[in-house]
Amino acid sequence: MSTPDPQSPTQDQSLQQEQPTIQNRLPVHTHHCRFCNHLLLATTRDMASLPRRKDPAKDKAIILPLPTSDTSEDPGQEHYSILLSTTVPDRKATLVRREDGFEKRLFLRCGRCRVVVGYFLDGVLFPMTSVAAPASGGDGEEGERKEKVVYLLPGALVETGAMGDEAALKGVDDEWRGWSAEA
């Protein structure tokens, strides 16, 4: 019987080195429809830290970047978001009047209750933010990456952890009332 070499790593130590560390992973936040509690969104992004639309867009929608179709080629992408039980955006764009003109929106609805929870901007007017925009090439320079974003209406989603918190839900409801009164 041989004695183990104190300089060589044990089997347990080598297994620990091969396993990826969970500490480096970003936490996943899940969000539900405020009206029917249906699960709609999973993201590694903190919704409170995301930018919002500024005036003349009165709705103050949260701007959530979505992964492009070429994320498999970009292993360095840190954040990820996925729309879960939402409907396919409306086929026909809705024309919204703004102080500075008009805007075409393709509404995104809850998959259960069909309440509008967000929208995409029409790709003709805003090709960089369109759901239908190509991931690269085409109209832009070679290798240019086009970002896809979804605009989420304030108060339409509630984070899973806040679902039973009455104070947090009151804040979400106040946010919904605030933008809908201005719009």
Side-chain angles (χ1 to χ4, degrees), residues 46-65:
D46 178 23
M47 296 291 264
S49 67
L50 290 174
R52 292 179 177 255
R53 292 193 77 190
K54 307 257 187 271
D55 283 337
K58 299 267 187 211
D59 61 10
K60 297 183 177 104
I62 298 166
I63 304 168
L64 176 67

Side-chain angles (χ1 to χ4, degrees), residues 79-162:
H79 289 284
Y80 196 84
S81 300
I82 185 168
L83 297 171
L84 297 169
S85 185
T86 55
T87 59
V88 174
D90 289 352
R91 289 183 184 186
K92 286 189 171 186
T94 301
L95 200 60
V96 175
R97 180 185 292 238
R98 295 179 23 162
E99 291 176 9
D100 63 340
F102 295 95
E103 180 174 89
K104 284 184 175 182
R105 296 181 181 175
L106 298 166
F107 289 135
L108 185 66
R109 300 173 184 274
C110 171
R112 181 186 287 165
C113 68
R114 307 244 336 125
V115 168
V116 175
V117 295
Y119 57 89
F120 294 100
L121 294 178
D122 184 60
V124 173
L125 299 174
F126 303 96
M128 295 297 280
T129 59
S130 166
V131 69
S136 64
D139 300 339
E141 296 177 19
E142 188 65 32
E144 179 184 336
R145 194 165 164 180
K146 295 193 177 190
E147 191 83 19
K148 294 191 312 186
V149 299
V150 62
Y151 297 92
L152 300 171
L153 296 175
L157 300 176
V158 62
E159 192 165 359
T160 302

Side-chain angles (χ1 to χ4, degrees), residues 64-82:
L64 176 67
L66 294 176
T68 56
S69 60
D70 63 349
T71 54
S72 61
E73 298 171 11
D74 185 11
Q77 183 172 357
E78 293 180 18
H79 289 284
Y80 196 84
S81 300
I82 185 168

